[in-house]
Amino acid sequence: MRLALMLGLVFLLSAAAGAANDSTQGNWFEAESLNAGLGAPPDDLDISTPRAAVIEFLDSGDDGDFSRAAHVLELSHISEEEQAERGPELARKLREVMNRTMVISWNELPARSDALFEAASNDAPLAGQPRRSLELSVLEVNGRPAEIRLNRAKPGEQPPIWIFSSQTVRAIDAMYESYGPGWLEERLPDVLQRPVGFGTRAWEWLALPLTVALMVGLGLIVHRLLGWLGCRVPIGWINRAADRMRMPLTVALMALLAQLLTGWIISFSGFFYTVLTPLLIGLTIVGLTLAALRTIDATLEKVTERFVDEIDDSSDRDRRKLYTSIYALRRFVLLAAVLISIVLFLVQLRLFDNVGMSLLASAGVITVVLGIAGQTVLGNILASLQIAVAKPVRIGDAVLYGDQWGYVESIYYSYLVLRSWDGRRLIVPVQYFISHPFENLSMVDASLTRTVSLRLDHCAEPDKLRKAFKKLVAKDERAVEDELLMTSVTEINEDFQEITFYATAANPTDAWLMQLDLREDLSDWVRRYHPEWWPRDRVLLDRTRTESAGKPENT
């Protein structure tokens, strides 16, 4: 029994040791030899860790010792005869590319030979695990990604070292062509090429303000030119669109031109590159987006400006529905443009590659925060989109909202505008408007029936009033004769009888004015032809008691 336990324990220990050995195997790339054509590396060359390898490479490049820097490259794809010649040249080009495209975060470069991060974080998901490959940066070259990557290699029996991968070295020429020195920089004197700190050179601090001044000057010229061209076009909406979109379009064009200049004529270092690139990309996208939105706004305004101030529910239903759809289109275009601009900005900066998982991980938290902080704004936007789709109200509809009556003049993202009969504008938040009952007087038909009630004496004859009312309605321009036209006794008691007159107009505004006119005309008719029909107080006397009261008493 004890022998069996001893054998089992030995087996478990052997398995654990084998697993440990397996875990350390494969933590580097095996190679028979590295860069034999360069000769033996310097004795003081320390490339045992990723941080040390990058420091050695950058320092050697700053000192101009690219033969030393070439030992940090994996030149396995180059013959040994060419390595001595091509190695330093490739090291110089890679140093230039890194200087112009990267700002190295030394805290993110492991200082351990196995590239192990001890603390776990979102940026270091492999913390606690040894690695044999480490990505430093990803650049876009000819529409494809090109990585700057370090690999851990073990040449023969020598200890493992960290060098730039063969894939990175193969892409150096293409990266240098895209991100290397520009045409102007190659022709600058050596005194301006000297480093002055932060990985920058003297000429950059002189070129940056000059470039900004040049862009501003060209922008003013382009701004005036666009205005001049817009005025020369004999089409009204194009003139308006050109006037509104020329400023954002100018900004976008200048930002785009600056990107081309910085890639062709001059090429700034990574210190400026990390700031200028997102700034120029952002200005280009925002400028083009605003230019497109302002052009659309100018077009939509031109389509509706001649009708919006006059439109009411007497207008054709299809036309009012079209106006509502136009406003809805603007909201959808604006929302889509903003979302597309954000996505383009993230794609251009390749932020999805770096923060995609973090965004997914924090999506729930962001949703909750935005839901709480922007509840009112998001509610109004969703309510506005609801109106755009379902159309419970349209531009020009007459609505009775609370004790306010007016026309829907415009519908925006967060509020709508009601124009009252006396010209006042009532601003109502969209969510609040949708959340409370309202009466749409134009939902099906814009025509509206109004009533006029008169309280007259019991001797008034409804038939005569009916004939008089028909004549008055026939004279009123606002009344629609073939609609409801009726005169009825709606109430009677010991004091009066109430006679109600019904007439219809084409829209609520005409109906209200018609009601005022008919009330006045009916009162004048009664006053002129039958004033005795007005209500009066009656005193009834008992004749028998009166006569008996007048006789003398018998004596």
Side-chain angles (χ1 to χ4, degrees):
M1 184 67 178
R2 290 182 179 181
L3 180 59
L5 290 175
M6 291 292 293
L7 291 176
L9 181 59
V10 170
F11 176 78
L12 290 175
L13 291 175
S14 300
N21 291 331
D22 292 340
S23 66
T24 58
Q25 292 295 327
N27 290 338
W28 52 71
F29 294 95
E30 298 283 353
E32 295 182 2
S33 64
L34 283 175
N35 306 335
L38 297 178
D43 295 334
D44 60 343
L45 183 69
D46 181 13
I47 52 177
S48 59
T49 69
R51 185 180 300 177
V54 174
I55 291 175
E56 285 282 1
F57 183 78
L58 297 180
D59 288 347
S60 299
D62 291 339
D63 296 337
D65 190 357
F66 295 107
S67 297
R68 179 186 178 94
H71 287 279
V72 195
L73 304 180
E74 184 181 350
L75 303 173
S76 58
H77 67 288
I78 301 175
S79 64
E80 294 183 4
E81 293 77 12
E82 296 180 350
Q83 287 180 0
E85 179 181 354
R86 287 280 293 155
E89 179 65 15
L90 291 173
R92 183 186 67 81
K93 290 183 177 181
L94 180 59
R95 178 66 183 89
E96 288 290 339
V97 171
M98 293 178 63
N99 181 63
R100 298 169 191 277
T101 61
M102 294 174 57
V103 175
I104 298 175
S105 176
W106 298 106
N107 292 331
E108 297 180 1
L109 274 177
R112 293 174 53 118
S113 59
D114 56 1
L116 183 144
F117 278 111
E118 297 180 356
S121 65
N122 291 333
D123 297 329
L126 297 178
Q129 301 180 25
R131 287 175 290 177
R132 62 176 184 174
S133 185
L134 190 66
E135 179 187 289
L136 299 183
S137 179
V138 179
L139 304 179
E140 183 176 345
V141 178
N142 299 326
R144 298 181 179 181
E147 292 184 326
I148 298 179
R149 177 178 290 276
L150 289 173
N151 281 347
R152 192 185 188 199
K154 188 176 185 305
E157 299 298 327
Q158 299 178 15
I161 57 175
W162 285 90
I163 57 177
F164 287 97
S165 69
S166 176
Q167 290 81 1
T168 298
V169 176
R170 292 172 187 271
I172 287 178
D173 288 329
M175 289 190 292
Y176 186 79
E177 183 178 353
S178 298
Y179 299 95
W183 175 86
L184 180 62
E185 183 182 353
E186 291 179 344
R187 289 158 176 79
L188 291 175
D190 293 338
V191 66
L192 296 178
Q193 300 279 6
R194 294 176 181 175
V196 294
F198 301 103
T200 64
R201 294 176 173 85
W203 69 265
E204 295 179 275
W205 295 95
L206 298 175
L208 184 61
L210 293 177
T211 303
V212 173
L214 177 62
M215 292 299 103
V216 172
L218 290 176
L220 293 177
I221 296 175
V222 173
H223 186 267
R224 291 181 179 271
L225 180 61
L226 291 176
W228 181 82
L229 291 176
C231 294
R232 294 299 183 274
V233 179
I235 302 176
W237 72 268
I238 293 182
N239 295 335
R240 176 179 298 183
D243 183 64
R244 291 192 178 184
M245 54 87 76
R246 60 175 179 163
M247 177 57 74
L249 183 59
T250 299
V251 173
L253 291 176
M254 291 304 99
L256 186 60
L257 179 60
Q259 293 182 65
L260 296 177
L261 290 178
T262 54
W264 176 49
I265 297 180
I266 56 177
S267 182
F268 289 98
S269 63
F271 180 78
F272 294 107
Y273 180 83
T274 54
V275 177
L276 289 178
T277 297
L279 178 62
L280 294 177
I281 292 176
L283 288 176
T284 303
I285 294 175
V286 171
L288 292 177
T289 302
L290 288 178
L293 288 177
R294 290 189 177 185
T295 302
I296 293 173
D297 279 348
T299 305
L300 297 182
E301 286 181 7
K302 189 63 178 179
V303 173
T304 59
E305 67 177 356
R306 66 181 64 180
F307 303 110
V308 169
D309 289 337
E310 301 175 359
I311 188 172
D312 53 28
D313 49 8
S314 63
S315 304
D316 183 75
R317 289 178 57 195
D318 293 335
R319 192 175 68 175
R320 292 187 287 111
K321 185 177 180 180
L322 173 63
Y323 299 149
T324 306
S325 300
I326 289 175
Y327 272 80
L329 174 64
R330 182 190 180 277
R331 296 196 294 275
F332 280 114
V333 168
L334 176 61
L335 184 61
V338 172
L339 293 177
I340 292 174
S341 298
I342 294 174
V343 172
L344 286 177
F345 183 75
L346 295 177
V347 169
Q348 287 294 320
L349 295 182
R350 303 187 62 85
L351 292 182
F352 281 128
D353 297 342
N354 299 324
V355 301
M357 295 306 296
S358 299
L359 289 176
L360 291 176
S362 58
V365 177
I366 294 176
T367 302
V368 173
V369 172
L370 290 179
I372 295 174
Q375 182 177 4
T376 301
V377 176
L378 293 176
N380 283 321
I381 291 176
L382 293 178
S384 177
L385 296 178
Q386 178 185 351
I387 290 179
V389 175
K391 293 185 178 62
V393 292
R394 298 157 298 188
I395 303 293
D397 276 355
V399 296
L400 185 62
Y401 189 71
D403 58 349
Q404 297 287 337
W405 170 74
Y407 291 105
V408 179
E409 188 176 58
S410 52
I411 305 172
Y412 298 101
Y413 259 115
S414 57
Y415 66 92
L416 55 81
V417 180
L418 301 179
R419 187 183 74 235
S420 63
W421 62 272
D422 57 357
R424 293 179 294 110
R425 264 64 175 181
L426 181 64
I427 311 300
V428 184
V430 179
Q431 186 180 16
Y432 185 83
F433 182 86
I434 292 295
S435 301
H436 292 77
F438 61 91
E439 184 177 355
N440 190 337
L441 304 177
S442 312
M443 187 70 181
V444 178
D445 189 0
S447 61
L448 188 65
T449 299
R450 290 283 186 174
T451 62
V452 176
S453 297
L454 295 179
R455 291 183 176 181
L456 302 175
D457 190 77
H458 295 90
C459 65
E461 301 179 25
D463 188 58
K464 290 184 178 181
L465 287 168
R466 185 176 293 109
K467 294 177 181 178
F469 179 66
K470 289 182 179 180
K471 293 179 180 180
L472 294 175
V473 170
K475 295 178 181 179
D476 196 303
E477 298 178 354
R478 300 182 180 90
V480 181
E481 295 187 36
D482 57 350
E483 295 293 334
L484 179 62
L485 183 64
M486 185 173 64
T487 302
S488 302
V489 178
T490 54
E491 185 179 354
I492 189 169
N493 55 34
E494 65 275 8
D495 297 323
F496 60 84
Q497 61 175 331
E498 182 181 79
I499 301 178
T500 303
F501 305 87
Y502 299 84
T504 304
N507 59 77
T509 301
D510 287 349
W512 181 65
L513 296 174
M514 176 196 69
Q515 183 185 33
L516 300 180
D517 292 341
L518 291 177
R519 184 182 290 116
E520 182 179 345
D521 293 341
L522 284 170
S523 299
D524 289 344
W525 188 89
V526 173
R527 190 179 299 108
R528 177 180 299 177
Y529 298 106
H530 295 282
E532 71 277 7
W533 286 1
W534 291 114
R536 64 188 66 185
D537 293 331
R538 289 182 170 83
V539 179
L540 299 178
L541 300 177
D542 191 337
R543 185 180 298 277
T544 304
R545 291 184 178 181
T546 303
E547 292 177 353
S548 61
K551 293 180 180 181
E553 295 182 0
N554 294 328
T555 57

